[in-house]
Amino acid sequence: MIRRVFLVYNVMNGIPSIPKIFAFIQARLGSTRYPNKVLNSIPVKGRTLLEHIHSRLKTTLSEEQIVFLIPEEDQSLLEYLKEKSFNYYCGSLNDVRKRFRDASNFYQADVILRLTGDNPFVDTKAIETIIEAWHVAFNQNTKLDLIYYSPLPLGMGIESFSRQALDKSSEIDEQRHLEHVSLHIKENPKDYTILKMPSPFPESIASLRLTFDEELDYQTLLNIYEEAISNSHNEIFGAFEIYNLSLKNPELFNKNQIVEQVRFNLPKPQVHSKRTICIIIGNPREYGSGHWERMTILSIKLVLLGYEVSMQFNSTKITQEFDYFIIDSREDYSDAKFLQPILRIDELSKKRKNLISEEEYFRLGFVDLLPHPDSFGWSAKPQVLLSNFANQSLSNIQILNSSNRIKETNTLLCYAGNLNSECSKSLDDFLISKYSNNKIIRIGGSEPITMKIHYEVRLTKRKWWNYLSKSDYFLSYFGQGLMEAMYLRKKLASYSIGDYHTMLSRHIERIWSVPFLGDCNQEMEFLEFSNSYPIIHNTAHERIIQWLESQSSTV
């Protein structure tokens, strides 16, 4: 019994331009340790585990790409999925791998994201990163078998693999391979290409248990959910919020530590690394999410090129076990801290003021992904580091433009990052008084006190690019968001949140004529938005790779 779904992909010359990616969630009611657990609710009178998983996947995938894989005998679960209008595929009870193989062949999936019904809080950042990695690999015609994102709390991660790797059998098939879908891949790393995409969390985060096997797990999940919602005000909280919660309240995670977890002793994936790289990023709590976002994009490109990449927040102790360091956290890091070559991205270093040429700037390890008065080359050819979603969004806009199908909706999208309540209110008051004819959407900052502003506390990558693509105007303080809006040729303006941002906004107003409306802590000025800036190129990663290759002879 199958609920059919149909997807349409962009096709050029008969070849799909993007991989067909499906999320398959294996679920059953007949759990040995805790029957019917996937229909338990969190909170007690809230959503079931399966609803939590579905809602998180919907932030990144279309509903047509989300399918629950259940045993043919599980009629009660089947009725539940029908009632919720969730997509499903019924297959073998005991041979779970066959269930996945049959479903992947039926849907003609290129890539499978595998989830289980007892992990309600899957991390959406992990999903986004893995999907991005598959897209980049397909664009480069790079054959991969399995991609994962690590480290993460137990229960927040997913694994992904190609249909080709899933269909390939190992020489020895035992009972464990029937139950654990991708085990034949992970047990034979010499026969498969397995890549790890790095998260910025310490390895200790893997000891946090957010999965559901027993009653202690359920009670722990209920408590974590309540505390996470209270802290983040966002039901789709991620590993970042859980990590910070574990630092603030470690006792919250202790209750289910005694629950036994099934583990396999697996050989390490084959690593033929060019070099090892540590990427240090500014903590999003202090610097916003732009640093993490663009370094995630960079890490994907570097891993696919054969580098072994680790990532950490700037607040974490730095070790010296890497060949290179890439720093994207604005701080002026002393050279004395490092024995290895350092690439500084947008670093506010006093040294940069004494550099006299683009060649010297680059040779000494400075790269700017945002324009700065001390930058070289930005006026001539602006280069940024953006997601593959940016290329898809721009392509879609160009197609609509060429067919005259774009209609202005007078939508003004405003990015407010981590603005406090006072600055958020000041910004809202200004927007409502000066741009009252626009539909105003604000992302980030504190929750507005007026119903005239549509508010989103945080967006997944897919939703962000969707909002940005459909907006007519974009307003932000200086940062990654402005570069993304420029790439899509949106009408722009900037505001500032202090003297340093004022200096940067004045700079892009001078070189590109991007209107600067003022500091949100002071009186702001009404100006018409503009798109008279130059074309932005999504090629900054090429400069970074060039620098790494230039250092290889000195390491």
Side-chain angles (χ1 to χ4, degrees), residues 1 21 79-80 90 100-101 214 349 397 529 551:
M1 299 176 66
I21 298 177
E79 292 305 315
Y80 169 82
C90 300
F100 270 76
R101 284 174 171 170
E214 299 181 5
S349 173
I397 289 172
F529 286 46
Q551 299 296 313

Side-chain angles (χ1 to χ4, degrees), residues 34 37 39 51 73 81 96 111 134 156 173 178-179 220 222 241 277 373 412 442 473 476 498 508 518 523 531 536:
Y34 202 119
K37 64 182 177 181
L39 298 185
E51 287 177 293
E73 300 86 346
L81 296 173
V96 183
V111 174
W134 281 109
M156 296 196 80
D173 267 357
L178 307 184
E179 183 178 353
T220 301
L222 289 171
E241 287 78 15
I277 301 172
L412 192 162
R442 177 158 64 77
Y473 308 93
S476 174
I508 60 171
E523 186 173 349
N531 61 355
I536 303 292

Side-chain angles (χ1 to χ4, degrees), residues 238-303:
F240 179 69
E241 287 78 15
I242 293 300
Y243 172 61
N244 287 302
L245 187 58
S246 72
L247 298 178
K248 176 183 176 183
N249 186 4
E251 294 80 14
L252 193 64
F253 299 84
N254 290 340
K255 182 179 287 187
N256 65 343
Q257 287 296 307
I258 62 172
V259 177
E260 186 177 351
Q261 180 66 30
V262 176
R263 299 185 187 277
F264 296 94
N265 292 321
L266 297 172
K268 289 187 177 181
Q270 298 291 296
V271 177
H272 305 288
S273 174
K274 289 183 176 180
R275 294 289 183 180
T276 58
I277 301 172
C278 178
I279 299 177
I280 300 173
I281 59 174
N283 193 305
R285 282 192 160 185
E286 300 173 56
Y287 300 104
S289 60
H291 300 272
W292 187 3
E293 167 62 18
R294 63 190 187 180
M295 288 301 100
T296 297
I297 297 163
L298 177 62
S299 71
I300 291 170
K301 294 181 182 297
L302 293 177
V303 169

